[in-house]
Amino acid sequence: SNSSAASDVYKRQLYKQSLYPLMIETDKNRYQQKLICLKGYPGFRTVTDAYKLYTKYIYDPIAVLAASKINLLPYQLEDFFNLIDMADRGHVRVLIAYETGLGKTILAGLFIKEMILRYNTKRILILCPPNVRYQWKDELETKFGIHSILFTDIKNSEHPWEEENIIIASMDTLKGDRYLSDLENVKWDIVVVDELHRASPGNLRSKLIRILSRNTKHMIGLTATPHDGKDENFIHRLSLINQIITENNWEDFVRNCTFRRKKKEVKDIY
């Protein structure tokens, strides 16, 4: 019967009206209808993103949202789709500035996994402080099924960049002269820099990150403290992500390419 068939499947129907309601019919025991009406662009984006997720799960089960062992929160989902939109248009150059505990690593991991699944992306470098290398390796493996290796575990010391594709390295290790000259000629698909605020004008970390930024397609900076109170330092860090950033255009970059989430705002909104 129609009702028994409806009880076994999820039905979603979009209505093109002034309001953008999403009809959700789901119940394994009873046939129920729930109507959610959301006004304006937020409603439209919620509906289209939900429908995209649904069709991706049905028709593209190997994609990241079906393959990863995580439960996304709404703001993470919104920012993830923005990253994918950027990647589809070309290069990703963004600063993810969530407060501590809101999931910067999760968002970066989602993007990496999707790029691997969608474009067979291979050359990936995670640059981070030494004390979080094992955390990065564990989260990539357990949450996304991504095998990586710590730079210090690579056995080929003469050509370490040719030995492995997905590498996690301490920024304090790679900033030394021993590696900087080699990295000038190494190409990457994705570089993620965790705790970008550790880079300041003139220090070796900045020199390292600028070299990596020149040699990668996608560049993502992560920090919970993007601004230390000095505009010149903030502009410098933004220029490490996108080298066309100057004191004349940095505000446009912040407006368009920075994902900033605060715990109070997330709690209030969601």
Side-chain angles (χ1 to χ4, degrees):
S1 66
N2 289 339
S3 60
S4 63
S7 66
D8 293 330
V9 298
Y10 291 88
K11 294 182 178 179
R12 285 160 171 80
Q13 183 178 359
L14 299 177
Y15 292 91
K16 191 176 181 181
Q17 300 174 351
S18 58
L19 299 180
Y20 298 91
L22 173 62
M23 180 72 79
I24 304 176
E25 301 172 3
T26 174
D27 197 293
K28 292 187 179 298
N29 301 313
R30 294 177 301 173
Y31 182 65
Q32 295 181 339
Q33 294 183 348
K34 297 179 181 179
L35 185 62
I36 304 174
C37 293
L38 300 165
K39 295 182 178 180
Y41 178 76
F44 172 76
R45 184 61 189 261
T46 300
V47 169
T48 53
D49 284 355
Y51 191 69
K52 181 176 181 180
L53 272 177
Y54 174 70
T55 54
K56 183 177 283 290
Y57 176 78
I58 295 299
Y59 300 110
D60 188 13
I62 67 168
V64 62
L65 295 169
S68 302
K69 299 177 181 179
I70 55 173
N71 294 318
L72 284 181
L73 295 172
Y75 68 90
Q76 293 171 323
L77 183 61
E78 178 184 353
D79 293 342
F80 169 69
F81 276 121
N82 285 331
L83 284 176
I84 298 307
D85 288 344
M86 291 180 186
D88 288 342
R89 294 195 301 267
H91 296 184
V92 171
R93 300 272 163 170
V94 300
L95 174 65
I96 300 174
Y98 291 2
E99 284 189 348
T100 302
L102 293 184
K104 295 183 292 296
T105 303
I106 293 296
L107 187 56
L110 277 171
F111 178 74
I112 291 170
K113 182 69 172 184
E114 183 70 11
M115 292 300 98
I116 292 173
L117 293 172
R118 185 178 295 208
Y119 299 115
N120 196 29
T121 297
K122 297 183 182 298
R123 302 282 296 153
I124 300 165
L125 176 66
I126 310 293
L127 194 67
C128 61
N131 61 313
V132 296
R133 291 175 301 148
Y134 289 96
Q135 178 184 337
W136 266 100
K137 181 175 174 57
D138 180 66
E139 293 209 4
L140 289 177
E141 183 72 40
T142 58
K143 290 184 170 64
F144 303 101
I146 299 173
H147 173 72
S148 62
I149 188 168
L150 301 182
F151 178 74
T152 50
D153 290 341
I154 298 176
K155 302 187 184 304
N156 187 345
S157 59
E158 291 187 8
H159 305 285
W161 323 112
E162 300 174 6
E163 185 79 8
E164 300 286 341
N165 282 325
I166 304 178
I167 300 173
I168 300 171
S170 163
M171 60 177 71
D172 289 335
T173 297
L174 298 192
K175 73 181 183 182
D177 292 338
R178 177 183 177 185
Y179 299 114
L180 281 179
S181 59
D182 287 346
L183 287 168
E184 289 275 9
N185 301 309
V186 179
K187 301 299 182 182
W188 303 95
D189 295 314
I190 302 172
V191 170
V192 176
V193 181
D194 196 5
E195 299 199 16
L196 182 69
H197 58 272
R198 291 174 178 247
S200 298
N203 70 14
L204 289 175
R205 293 170 184 153
S206 289
K207 184 177 181 180
L208 167 65
I209 295 169
R210 195 171 295 282
I211 290 172
L212 295 173
S213 182
R214 287 199 300 263
N215 291 335
T216 186
K217 180 176 182 180
H218 304 305
M219 182 77 174
I220 298 177
L222 310 179
T223 179
T225 53
H227 203 301
D228 61 5
K230 297 180 180 179
D231 282 350
E232 60 270 24
N233 289 348
F234 184 49
I235 295 169
H236 170 75
R237 290 167 190 141
L238 296 180
S239 73
L240 296 177
I241 300 173
N242 190 333
Q243 299 190 38
I244 68 170
I245 298 299
T246 68
E247 62 182 9
N248 297 320
N249 61 15
W250 67 273
E251 291 175 312
D252 290 333
F253 180 89
V254 171
R255 184 162 46 249
N256 298 319
C257 300
T258 298
F259 303 152
R260 179 64 169 158
R261 301 287 183 179
K262 297 182 179 179
K263 290 182 179 178
K264 181 180 183 302
E265 294 171 352
V266 169
K267 182 177 179 180
D268 288 346
I269 295 173
Y270 300 112

